[in-house]
């Protein structure tokens, strides 16, 4: 795969992930915030289960691997931008692994006290998701700059 094709693939994967996170911040979470505790908890449980699929995983892990491969094969400013993109994306990746996934697991195990489950989940998960949007979008911008620097 050519260097430019690798950067384009990295940008596409990163853009898909950034868009998924942004859609949650822009529409899904505000929409669920308007509903009952039961609706919120059940919808998030179902969304968290549904997102565990090959399409999302390909983008989620590809957005980490492809920029690393691109940076390895590049030099000069393009390599720097690819590394910056990788660093930004790793912030989003780490936030997912360290904050969002454990919160999802706790929500799944929370039982039927939907008010308590929501109270423990909604604010920290939403804040972490907003951070993922910023980090993944910054990563995308860096990858675009890397591609333009080739």
């Amino acid at each position: 795969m050519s260097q430019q094709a690798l950067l384009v693939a990295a940008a596409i994967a990163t853009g898909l992930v950034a868009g998924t996170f942004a859609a949650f911040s822009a529409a899904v979470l505000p929409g669920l915030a308007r509903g009952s505790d039961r609706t919120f908890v059940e919808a998030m449980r179902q969304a968290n289960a549904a997102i565990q699929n090959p399409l999302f995983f390909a983008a989620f892990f590809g957005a980490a691997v492809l920029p690393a491969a691109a940076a390895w094969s590049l030099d000069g400013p393009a390599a720097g931008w690819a590394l910056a993109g990788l660093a930004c994306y790793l912030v989003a990746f780490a936030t997912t692994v360290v904050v969002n996934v454990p919160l999802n697991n706790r929500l799944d195990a929370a039982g039927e006290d939907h008010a308590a489950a929501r109270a423990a989940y909604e604010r920290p998960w939403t804040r972490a998701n907003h951070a993922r949007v910023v980090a993944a979008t910054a990563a995308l911008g860096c990858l675009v700059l890397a591609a333009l620097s080739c």
Side-chain angles (χ1 to χ4, degrees):
M1 182 179 278
S2 76
Q3 293 170 333
Q4 199 162 33
L6 203 52
L7 284 171
V8 168
I12 289 169
T14 303
L16 288 170
V17 174
T20 299
F21 295 158
F24 263 84
S25 284
V28 174
L29 294 168
L32 291 177
R34 296 176 180 174
S36 70
D37 294 335
R38 180 182 183 91
T39 298
F40 179 91
V41 169
E42 291 302 324
M44 286 304 295
R45 284 176 175 164
Q46 294 303 319
N48 292 333
I51 201 153
Q52 296 179 47
N53 67 70
L55 178 60
F56 179 75
F57 285 151
F60 185 71
F61 291 107
V65 172
L66 293 168
W72 180 267
S73 71
L74 294 165
D75 55 16
W81 283 116
L83 283 173
L86 174 61
C88 290
Y89 184 73
L90 289 178
V91 170
F93 189 95
T95 300
T96 302
V97 172
V98 172
V99 180
N100 295 92
V101 169
L103 285 168
N104 293 345
N105 292 339
R106 278 183 266 178
L107 185 68
D108 283 343
E112 297 303 313
D113 184 350
H114 295 108
R118 181 178 186 171
Y121 179 88
E122 185 173 19
R123 177 171 270 174
W125 198 96
T126 299
R127 286 181 177 169
N129 192 66
H130 293 335
R132 296 188 306 176
V133 172
V134 171
T137 302
L140 175 58
C142 290
L143 293 170
V144 168
L145 290 170
L148 294 173
S149 298
C150 282

